[in-house]
Amino acid sequence: MIIVALVSTKGGVGRTTLTANLAAALSDQGRTVYAIEMDPQNSLQWHLGCAPGNVDGLARATIAGAAWRNATRTVGKVTLLPHGALDEVDRLAFEQALYAQPDLLQRHLLALAVPDDAVVLIDTASGPSVYQRQALGAADIALMVMLPDAASFAGMTTMTQQVQAYGRAGAKFFDTAVIVNQIDNARQLAKDVVRVLPGALDDVPLGRIHRDESVAEALACQAFVADYAPNAMATADIALCAQALGARIDAAQFAQDAQA
Ligand SMILES: Nc1ncnc2c1ncn2[C@@H]1O[C@H](COP(=O)(O)OP(=O)(O)OP(=O)(O)O)[C@@H](O)[C@H]1O
Ligand SMILES: [Mg+2]
């Protein structure tokens, strides 16, 4: 199992959109894909085409002391484990459990007994949070999503600190990657940020995705972007990102097999 955590300092950058659409694209590569939601927003199911507001999910299962397996659902080509809806009292109880047990997510993922060659994508709440900390603690690959603007650029320092603090630095294999999303070529600032990024980041960005109305429209229709607009620029961008991510996943799998 290779675990990829989608993280960002800022909200609204496209983590959930990319979790859903990369999950679909990776499954089209013939991979077994799980999409796990570490975000009380509970919106990943909507991005995967399910009705919103489902109560059951990993949060309620945790509070009930139950295994997460019963909260999984097959949604088309992906196995979804939503956060689920909680009231405020239960949300605080769940967050307390996450604080008290830093390896809670990791243990539950192992207990899910997903196939060895499966890919697990984890959508997270934005910014430094216990959700992000748990996801980074479990991840083989931290996939940082950013916008091509000054705020996202400035936030990369905080993001890198979080990854260094909570990523599995001690593990034999731990990889990081950056995707720049919502690039609008009509905006000079976006073009400037994209141009200076390779020198400013530790890594050359893994992928770039243009700002494309098809992405928002696909969500409104609860469809994957590739199904809603096969010829859209964002569809091609997401496919390239999935290809590049697939190569990183294969490298992680190779490292994991070599250790076994
Ligand atoms: N490449 C894109 N082009 C156009 N719109 C996009 C693109 N990527 C994401 N969006 C839109 O941006 C909005 C935010 O996306 P999303 O909810 O995936 O972000 P997020 O980082 O998960 O946000 P949150 O912090 O609320 O969890 C959505 O309306 C989505 O459709
Ligand atoms: Mg989100």
Side-chain angles (χ1 to χ4, degrees):
M1 159 175 70
I2 300 302
I3 302 172
V4 183
L6 284 90
V7 292
S8 72
T9 316
K10 269 168 59 76
V13 298
R15 294 178 316 281
T16 309
T17 301
L18 289 179
T19 303
N21 286 282
L22 287 174
L26 288 168
S27 105
D28 286 342
Q29 293 172 9
R31 301 173 194 270
T32 304
V33 182
Y34 284 65
I36 314 265
E37 184 175 30
M38 286 300 280
D39 186 347
Q41 223 181 116
N42 195 29
S43 60
L44 180 57
Q45 53 194 318
W46 176 266
H47 287 250
L48 285 164
C50 303
N54 197 300
V55 169
D56 287 330
L58 57 85
R60 189 161 300 285
T62 305
I63 292 169
W68 284 7
R69 173 156 296 283
N70 294 338
T72 59
R73 271 184 279 161
T74 306
V75 187
K77 19 193 179 185
V78 175
T79 302
L80 165 67
L81 181 49
H83 176 282
L86 288 183
D87 62 24
E88 270 306 283
V89 173
D90 284 346
R91 186 179 66 79
L92 290 175
F94 180 52
E95 288 188 0
Q96 267 163 18
L98 294 175
Y99 278 115
Q101 304 165 56
D103 63 343
L104 187 147
L105 172 62
Q106 204 170 12
R107 281 190 289 105
H108 276 283
L109 290 181
L110 283 175
L112 272 181
V114 308
D116 281 351
D117 61 352
V119 181
V120 177
L121 297 183
I122 306 177
D123 183 25
T124 61
S126 65
S129 69
V130 74
Y131 302 96
Q132 190 182 82
R133 194 185 305 177
Q134 287 271 345
L136 286 173
D140 299 292
I141 301 173
L143 183 53
M144 297 172 259
V145 183
M146 65 177 288
L147 301 183
D149 63 17
S152 250
F153 193 79
M156 283 310 280
T157 310
T158 311
M159 192 65 259
T160 308
Q161 281 167 355
Q162 289 282 304
V163 170
Q164 281 167 356
Y166 301 114
R168 300 193 311 141
K172 289 223 170 82
F173 185 92
F174 179 69
D175 195 8
T176 58
V178 174
I179 287 181
V180 189
N181 187 28
Q182 305 192 36
I183 299 170
D184 182 351
N185 281 335
R187 290 174 57 222
Q188 187 58 42
L189 179 62
K191 288 200 280 190
D192 289 346
V193 171
V194 168
R195 187 170 45 77
V196 300
L197 264 182
L201 298 174
D202 290 343
D203 295 324
V204 173
L206 178 85
R208 298 167 184 184
I209 300 173
H210 288 90
R211 178 159 189 83
D212 185 333
E213 276 314 296
S214 307
V215 176
E217 287 169 13
L219 176 61
C221 296
Q222 288 193 280
F224 295 119
V225 182
D227 294 337
Y228 175 79
N231 299 318
M233 191 179 254
T235 298
D237 293 339
I238 291 168
L240 282 175
C241 285
Q243 225 171 63
L245 181 59
R248 299 285 192 100
I249 289 166
D250 289 342
Q253 189 73 63
F254 185 78
Q256 209 172 74
D257 292 347
Q259 272 173 54

